[in-house]
Amino acid sequence: MAEPLLDVRGVTVRFGGVLALDDVSFHVEQGQILGLIGPNGAGKTTLFNCLSRLYQPSEGEIRFEGVSVLATPRHLIANLGIARTFQNVALFDRLTVLENVMVGRHGKTSSSFFANALRLPSVVAEQAAARQRAMELIEFMELGAFTHWPAGGLPFPIRKRVELARALAAQPKLLLLDEPAAGLNHDEVATLEGQIRRVRDVQGVTVLLVEHHMSLVMSVSDKVVTVNFGRKIAEGTPDQVRRDPEVIRAYLGTSG
């Protein structure tokens, strides 16, 4: 069998005497949308932070296309092909939408400081390519009307779309979405669902999302992994997970 795109093996995280993650394993196949769920304090964010190298596990391994993520310097994670959005949107408020999205291309440029200072032809060509790709993603995310608006004054749902476009500008193979539905109303969540599907189907990007919005996770995910008290308690299709007695007990305190 082909190696999975992302392979999480026995990840354990300890903060002093607190066991935040306990021997968690799962994998993500290329082209999947995987939802990571669990009650508050279950360890989802800790796991997400391990995947993006903000945290270093106490034990275990994380491999991306066969390469150790944990052995890769933090500043080179994007070069592996992993991008991330955050629950609290972090844009450059004084920059326009176009400029914010172009920032996402920074890791794909190769010109030196001196080449930039001298505005050599290679630099001009790179910037033109970055601008073109940014414009394509702005249209993809239906942000065309806001292209030249400063990001700071935009409504929260639009800012979230800008952050998603910026993440896609890095040309990731895997996109980590940290609670993308947080702060959105019912109609905006429905729009987000379509956007996540299009990211996978049109952009060809595998998606792993941490999310509390259960209807979004169950409708958009191919596979769902559930954690509780730092331990994986279920893994399978949305239908399998929503019927799992341990998942029901974790969310409702009863076996149903």
Side-chain angles (χ1 to χ4, degrees):
M1 295 180 62
E3 191 165 17
L5 182 68
L6 179 71
D7 192 7
V8 179
R9 307 176 185 175
V11 169
T12 298
V13 176
R14 297 183 179 88
F15 297 115
V18 177
L19 187 61
L21 289 176
D22 183 8
D23 193 28
V24 174
S25 299
F26 65 90
H27 63 267
V28 184
E29 301 290 347
Q30 185 173 349
Q32 272 189 332
I33 298 175
L34 185 143
L36 180 62
I37 64 171
N40 287 330
K44 304 184 299 299
T45 298
T46 299
L47 179 54
F48 222 53
N49 286 337
C50 290
L51 298 178
S52 54
R53 289 290 279 112
L54 294 178
Y55 291 167
Q56 181 75 19
S58 308
E59 300 171 21
E61 178 62 289
I62 301 171
R63 301 188 73 81
F64 182 77
E65 292 190 315
V67 176
S68 173
V69 171
L70 302 182
T72 302
R74 288 178 174 89
H75 67 281
L76 295 179
I77 290 300
N79 290 352
L80 288 181
I82 301 174
R84 174 180 179 173
T85 65
F86 291 85
Q87 181 179 352
N88 298 317
V89 179
L91 298 177
F92 296 98
D93 287 347
R94 295 186 179 181
L95 298 185
T96 66
V97 168
L98 175 60
E99 290 166 336
N100 268 280
V101 178
M102 288 179 66
V103 167
R105 292 285 300 175
H106 176 72
K108 296 297 180 182
T109 59
S110 58
S111 53
S112 67
F113 171 81
F114 291 105
N116 276 275
L118 296 173
R119 295 287 296 169
L120 296 181
S122 60
V123 173
V124 176
E126 276 190 341
Q127 289 183 346
R131 182 183 181 90
Q132 179 180 346
R133 179 56 178 158
M135 289 299 298
E136 291 170 356
L137 290 170
I138 285 170
E139 292 303 318
F140 177 75
M141 294 303 299
E142 300 178 346
L143 291 165
F146 306 101
T147 302
H148 301 292
W149 286 37
L154 295 174
F156 183 69
I158 301 300
R159 289 170 59 84
K160 283 211 159 192
R161 276 196 256 168
V162 175
E163 186 184 39
L164 182 50
R166 183 176 63 184
L168 291 174
Q171 292 182 283
K173 299 175 183 177
L174 175 66
L175 179 61
L176 307 176
L177 299 179
D178 187 359
E179 299 201 24
L184 302 184
N185 63 34
H186 178 77
D187 291 338
E188 291 161 350
V189 170
T191 299
L192 174 64
E193 178 182 337
Q195 290 169 340
I196 293 174
R197 291 187 187 279
R198 291 176 64 235
V199 165
R200 190 267 307 273
D201 297 340
V202 178
Q203 298 292 329
V205 179
T206 302
V207 178
L208 193 163
L209 70 150
V210 166
E211 185 53 71
H212 283 290
H213 199 292
M214 294 299 292
S215 64
L216 172 65
V217 173
M218 294 302 178
S219 62
V220 80
S221 301
D222 301 305
K223 182 167 77 171
V224 178
V225 172
T226 309
V227 293
N228 192 30
F229 294 113
R231 184 173 57 88
K232 186 180 79 173
I233 61 173
E235 177 178 358
T237 66
D239 283 342
Q240 290 170 333
V241 169
R242 66 165 50 100
R243 293 197 302 264
D244 188 284
E246 277 206 71
V247 175
I248 296 172
R249 190 177 302 114
Y251 276 96
L252 302 178
T254 175
S255 59

